[in-house]
Amino acid sequence: MAMRFLIVGDVIGNPGRRAIKKLLPHLKEEIQFDFFILNGENLAGGFGITKKIYQEVKSWGVDVITGGNHTWDKKEIFQFIEEAKDLLRPANYPPSVPGRGWNIFEKKGLRVGVINLMGLAFMNPYLENPFLTFDRIYEEIKEMADIVVVDFHAEATAEKNAFALYALGRAQIIFGTHTHIPTADERIIEGKTAYITDVGMTGVLNSVIGVNLKDTLPLYLQGIKKRFHVAEKGEVVFNALVVDIDETSLKPLKVQRLQKLLSWEELKGISV
Ligand SMILES: [Fe+2]
Ligand SMILES: [Fe+2]
């Protein structure tokens, strides 16, 4: 018997939420997942997460929502993250930052430890070293968790690769998020760890990682960053990873990338 994980990367705003809601019946029936993880840093208008959206995502059957650099964009997060035990933010933020970076969740009689980390390369320089943060958390949870899963939210592919090999055999699943672009390197490393550098986003496909082209052009043409808005009303891409973990050996058995395209017509009637 295997425990099946459905892992969805950054979900971008209203089009991303519509796509997940539309696909949910299919995912439940065809994929028959046991444990659902979704990166939620871009759920609310592309920037952050609100309490209302958090509750909506929970109603979809998501077990854990992970985060990243955009976790803090909607300021109400500071009011509810402490109580939301299944809403993680990167664990390597300094200890004074509210919320938690890891937690343990029981499912099918197994204890699943989920850890959220953020890379340092080309990102926020004020965080702790994620490799060392992982070492510390792993020592704490290794007796408490049967399966360890890491969302490594990072920009640089090399940093993600290095982390996967560093944590090999300690975490059974390591998936990357943040770039919004899926990578084609999903595999099981040495029979120990299922890995992908980036799951990719769920959002409007012909956009600049989910944002309107016209909002980004001042940056590229003039070097001036204007306000970004989520791209809407276009074809939406859904990217996910499905991982099977053997319930006896607790080792990964299978890893598979999943991509679906939805026309805007199909998503019109979906309210989120
Ligand atoms: Fe993101
Ligand atoms: Fe991010």
Side-chain angles (χ1 to χ4, degrees):
M1 286 284 281
M3 184 159 189
R4 177 163 286 182
F5 289 78
L6 173 67
I7 297 167
V8 172
D10 307 51
V11 177
I12 319 295
N14 180 292
R17 301 200 314 273
R18 281 188 201 215
I20 305 283
K21 205 170 163 189
K22 167 85 181 172
L23 287 170
L24 256 185
H26 159 82
L27 294 171
K28 283 182 177 161
E29 201 175 307
E30 305 274 312
I31 310 294
Q32 298 198 359
F33 56 86
D34 302 302
F35 202 99
F36 190 175
I37 304 175
L38 179 150
N39 185 292
E41 71 155 5
N42 305 111
L43 280 166
F47 299 92
I49 180 169
T50 60
K51 189 166 188 184
K52 188 167 167 270
I53 290 174
Y54 161 71
Q55 285 164 343
E56 184 190 344
V57 171
K58 286 302 297 173
S59 77
W60 299 341
V62 172
D63 294 288
V64 185
I65 303 169
T66 53
N69 51 308
H70 286 299
T71 288
W72 317 105
D73 291 352
K74 296 281 180 289
K75 298 310 166 199
E76 64 180 87
I77 187 85
F78 292 98
Q79 308 304 316
F80 73 92
I81 195 168
E82 208 60 57
E83 282 75 49
K85 298 190 169 25
D86 42 21
L87 174 60
L88 305 180
R89 47 84 168 161
N92 48 331
Y93 273 94
S96 60
V97 173
R100 70 208 74 229
W102 61 273
N103 210 347
I104 293 175
F105 305 88
E106 293 234 11
K107 209 78 190 264
K108 287 179 86 181
L110 290 174
R111 301 161 303 170
V112 181
V114 182
I115 307 171
N116 192 185
L117 292 166
M118 199 153 99
L120 294 187
F122 315 114
M123 295 189 81
N124 187 337
Y126 297 105
L127 303 193
E128 294 170 358
N129 181 318
F131 292 67
L132 303 183
T133 306
F134 174 76
D135 287 345
R136 195 183 66 233
I137 295 170
Y138 182 73
E139 281 311 305
E140 206 175 327
I141 71 167
K142 67 180 181 189
E143 304 301 335
M144 294 192 270
D146 302 302
I147 300 168
V148 175
V149 184
V150 178
D151 176 354
F152 197 86
H153 192 82
E155 186 76 39
T157 49
E159 190 180 18
K160 289 162 154 174
N161 279 200
F163 180 80
L165 298 177
Y166 181 73
L168 185 63
R170 290 190 282 171
Q172 288 97 322
I173 304 175
I174 299 172
F175 65 97
T177 56
H178 176 72
T179 70
H180 298 193
I181 305 294
T183 55
D185 62 341
E186 77 281 6
R187 64 195 186 276
I188 296 170
I189 307 172
E190 293 178 16
K192 296 172 184 168
T193 299
Y195 172 69
I196 189 166
T197 298
D198 208 298
V199 180
M201 70 171 182
T202 294
V204 171
L205 179 59
N206 293 312
S207 67
V208 182
I209 61 166
V211 170
N212 265 325
L213 171 68
K214 75 169 172 43
D215 292 345
T216 68
L217 279 181
L219 175 64
Y220 298 118
L221 300 180
Q222 299 172 300
I224 295 166
K225 191 171 174 183
K226 296 266 171 74
R227 198 159 167 226
F228 285 175
H229 298 90
V230 160
E232 296 205 17
K233 297 182 181 148
E235 188 178 26
V236 172
V237 65
F238 164 85
N239 283 302
L241 193 73
V242 179
V243 183
D244 287 349
I245 301 285
D246 188 293
E247 287 175 29
T248 312
S249 71
L250 303 173
K251 293 218 158 59
L253 295 171
K254 196 174 142 196
V255 58
Q256 201 173 4
R257 211 155 22 99
L258 196 63
Q259 185 174 80
K260 291 183 186 297
L261 290 172
L262 298 125
S263 70
W264 191 247
E265 281 298 309
E266 285 177 88
L267 297 174
K268 260 186 178 167
I270 308 284
S271 65
V272 288

